[in-house]
């Protein structure tokens, strides 16, 4: 062969190999990736070897691969949709990571997910003892310093609520328990003393005005006005009471408190069971 003839032969076998390769592949596979280029080179080399040309193709380079004009616009739309899908997946992955990190913190999230999986597995096996052990470990993990995000916020609120219960209800309980010996010894005396203390507390306020009448009168009618100081004290007390109520409403939007049977100190409280049986309010018939 002359060099010109060799070039023409290579051109023809490459065109033939390209047509055969395009016929055996999908459009996306043909215009994307390197598989089509390798297949064109293989087919062209086989044709040259079959004709005993002695020509060896070292490399094949395809500089421009475009779909046919009839479907070019549709292919471009598919490619654009793929790119949008990739972007959406990446955004969703970042958002999921952010949400999970905000839930419990990046450092503790993986361990919590594993413990929750162990807890669910124990429940599915019906192993209540193992479930309780895993639940205790989950509680310990939530108490650790690794917890962050919403979980840490919830734990802080729970500790504050627990402190409020212990400081308010616990204080009342301790006070009442301290009165038990006196009540047992002389209940009438204790009740009278408590009544006098309450009576004294009410009458000792600056907004209280006490009027005494001589004994022995059958009836007494008075027409009088309160003193200016007492009237001012009453208005100030009413205004202060409104301010205190408003501040309490702003500080505690959830103005509620657990009943005595629902308060558990130093152990886990209410828990929802998978079968919705048992728990607070269902002690009677287990429904």
């Amino acid at each position: 062969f002359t060099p010109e003839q060799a070039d023409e032969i290579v051109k023809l076998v490459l065109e033939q190999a390209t047509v055969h390769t395009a016929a055996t592949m999908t459009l996306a596979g043909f215009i994307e990736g390197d598989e089509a280029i390798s297949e064109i080179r293989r087919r062209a080399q086989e044709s040259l070897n079959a004709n005993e040309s002695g020509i060896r193709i070292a490399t094949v380079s395809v500089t421009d691969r475009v779909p046919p004009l009839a479907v070019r616009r549709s292919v471009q739309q598919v490619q654009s949709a793929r790119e949008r899908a990739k972007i959406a997946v990446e955004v969703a992955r970042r958002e999921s990571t952010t949400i999970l990190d905000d839930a419990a913190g990046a450092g503790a999230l993986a361990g919590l997910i594993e413990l929750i999986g162990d807890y669910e597995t124990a429940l599915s096996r019906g192993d209540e003892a193992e479930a309780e052990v895993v639940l205790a470990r989950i509680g310990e993990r939530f108490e650790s310093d690794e917890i962050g995000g919403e979980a840490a916020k919830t734990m802080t609120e729970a500790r504050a609520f627990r402190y409020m219960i212990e400081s308010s209800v616990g204080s009342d309980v301790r006070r009442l328990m301290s009165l038990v010996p006196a009540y047992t010894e002389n209940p009438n005396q204790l009740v009278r003393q408590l009544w006098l203390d309450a009576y004294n507390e009410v009458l000792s306020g600056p907004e209280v005005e006490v009027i005494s009448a001589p004994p022995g009168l059958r009836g007494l009618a008075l027409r009088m006005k309160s003193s200016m100081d007492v009237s001012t004290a009453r208005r100030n007390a009413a205004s202060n009471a409104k301010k205190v109520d408003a501040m309490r409403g702003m500080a505690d939007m959830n103005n509620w408190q657990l009943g005595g049977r629902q308060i558990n100190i130093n152990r886990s409280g209410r828990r929802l069971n998978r079968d919705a049986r048992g728990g607070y309010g269902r002690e009677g018939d287990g429904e």
Side-chain angles (χ1 to χ4, degrees):
F1 299 114
T2 63
E4 291 78 9
Q5 292 174 334
D7 290 342
E8 187 66 23
I9 291 174
V10 171
K11 178 181 178 182
L12 292 175
V13 296
L14 284 174
E15 290 177 351
Q16 182 185 42
T18 301
V19 172
H20 289 175
T21 300
T24 59
M25 298 181 66
T26 63
L27 179 60
F30 183 75
I31 64 177
E32 298 175 1
D34 297 331
E35 182 181 357
I37 297 176
S38 300
E39 185 65 16
I40 291 172
R41 178 181 177 279
R42 185 187 67 80
R43 289 177 180 272
Q45 188 63 56
E46 288 179 354
S47 297
L48 292 174
N49 294 340
N51 293 320
E52 298 180 353
S53 63
I55 300 174
R56 180 176 176 273
I57 300 176
T59 60
V60 174
S61 177
V62 180
T63 58
D64 190 12
R65 286 181 287 176
V66 295
L69 183 61
V71 296
R72 185 173 302 173
R73 184 174 181 180
S74 299
V75 172
Q76 291 175 350
Q77 291 176 350
V78 171
Q79 291 175 341
S80 299
R82 288 178 179 175
E83 292 299 324
R84 290 194 299 270
K86 290 180 181 178
I87 295 174
V89 169
E90 183 62 26
V91 171
R93 185 177 291 111
R94 290 199 300 266
E95 289 181 352
S96 65
T97 302
T98 301
I99 292 173
L100 293 175
D101 289 346
D102 291 343
L109 182 61
L112 280 174
I113 293 177
E114 182 178 357
L115 287 174
I116 292 173
D118 295 341
Y119 178 72
E120 294 289 339
T121 301
L123 286 180
S124 63
R125 293 199 309 262
D127 192 348
E128 293 290 339
E130 179 64 19
E132 290 295 333
V133 172
V134 178
L135 186 62
R137 292 169 57 192
I138 293 175
E140 293 175 357
R141 180 60 63 88
F142 274 115
E143 293 283 352
S144 66
D145 296 334
E146 297 178 353
I147 294 297
E150 289 295 326
K153 179 182 177 182
T154 302
M155 293 299 298
T156 301
E157 293 176 351
R159 294 189 187 100
F161 184 76
R162 177 180 176 180
Y163 176 77
M164 184 270 291
I165 292 294
E166 292 178 347
S167 61
S168 59
V169 179
S171 177
D172 293 339
V173 170
R174 288 189 293 271
R175 179 174 177 273
L176 291 175
M177 293 301 296
S178 66
L179 297 175
V180 170
Y183 182 81
T184 303
E185 182 179 355
N186 193 339
N188 293 330
Q189 178 64 27
L190 178 62
V191 171
R192 180 175 177 80
Q193 183 62 44
L194 293 176
W195 167 251
L196 291 176
D197 292 342
Y199 193 74
N200 179 65
E201 182 179 355
V202 172
L203 295 181
S204 61
E207 67 276 8
V208 177
E209 189 172 8
V210 180
I211 300 174
S212 299
L217 294 180
R218 187 173 180 180
L220 180 65
L222 297 177
R223 291 184 179 181
M224 57 185 301
K225 293 183 179 180
S226 298
S227 67
M228 185 62 67
D229 294 338
V230 174
S231 298
T232 302
R234 289 173 180 170
R235 287 194 297 268
N236 293 337
S239 177
N240 292 334
K242 291 181 180 179
K243 292 180 180 179
V244 171
D245 291 340
M247 293 179 63
R248 287 177 179 174
M250 294 175 60
D252 186 11
M253 300 302 293
N254 296 322
N255 190 16
W256 56 274
Q257 182 170 303
L258 292 174
R261 290 195 300 138
Q262 303 179 66
I263 299 175
N264 299 300
I265 306 300
N266 294 327
R267 62 188 180 90
S268 59
R270 301 173 65 180
R271 189 185 73 182
L272 298 178
N273 296 330
R274 289 171 63 89
D275 56 1
R277 300 174 64 86
Y280 177 75
R282 300 174 181 264
E283 298 87 343
D285 51 9
E287 295 181 356

